[in-house]
Amino acid sequence: MSTQTTEMLSRQVIELAAAQVDIPTEQISVDSQFTADLAFDSLDKVEFVMTVEEEFDIVVAEEVADAINTVADAVRAIQKLIP
């Protein structure tokens, strides 16, 4: 996937995360950790993964979802699952 596409995908994931916990997108980076930096609890994370699945029309396996700890992790997982 091209760098530009990765950047666009990163922006989309940041926007989804920001909407999930009502944080301005400017306060989120690809290095942001969902739990430590964005105060996601376990329900927030499950809802976020469900939103990602719907947004990108993909299915995220539980073990993949469990390994998503940062925005960058989410971007990499989505890139692997997008046809």
Side-chain angles (χ1 to χ4, degrees):
M1 198 169 260
S2 73
T3 303
Q4 182 178 7
T5 306
T6 300
E7 289 174 11
M8 290 171 53
L9 184 57
S10 296
R11 278 196 301 275
Q12 280 183 280
V13 171
I14 287 170
E15 288 171 7
L16 293 174
Q20 179 76 34
V21 288
D22 198 28
I23 294 174
T25 56
E26 301 80 36
Q27 294 180 13
I28 303 173
S29 74
V30 293
D31 297 323
S32 295
Q33 295 182 8
F34 289 109
T35 305
D37 300 326
L38 306 180
F40 272 49
D41 60 23
S42 57
L43 181 59
D44 289 325
K45 191 170 175 186
V46 169
E47 290 176 348
F48 176 74
V49 170
M50 290 171 56
T51 300
V52 165
E53 289 178 320
E54 188 175 305
E55 180 78 18
F56 297 100
D57 195 26
I58 58 176
V59 175
V60 179
E62 189 174 339
E63 56 273 1
V64 173
D66 290 343
I68 295 174
N69 297 306
T70 66
V71 171
D73 292 341
V75 170
R76 282 190 293 275
I78 293 165
Q79 286 175 324
K80 290 178 184 175
L81 294 168
I82 291 178

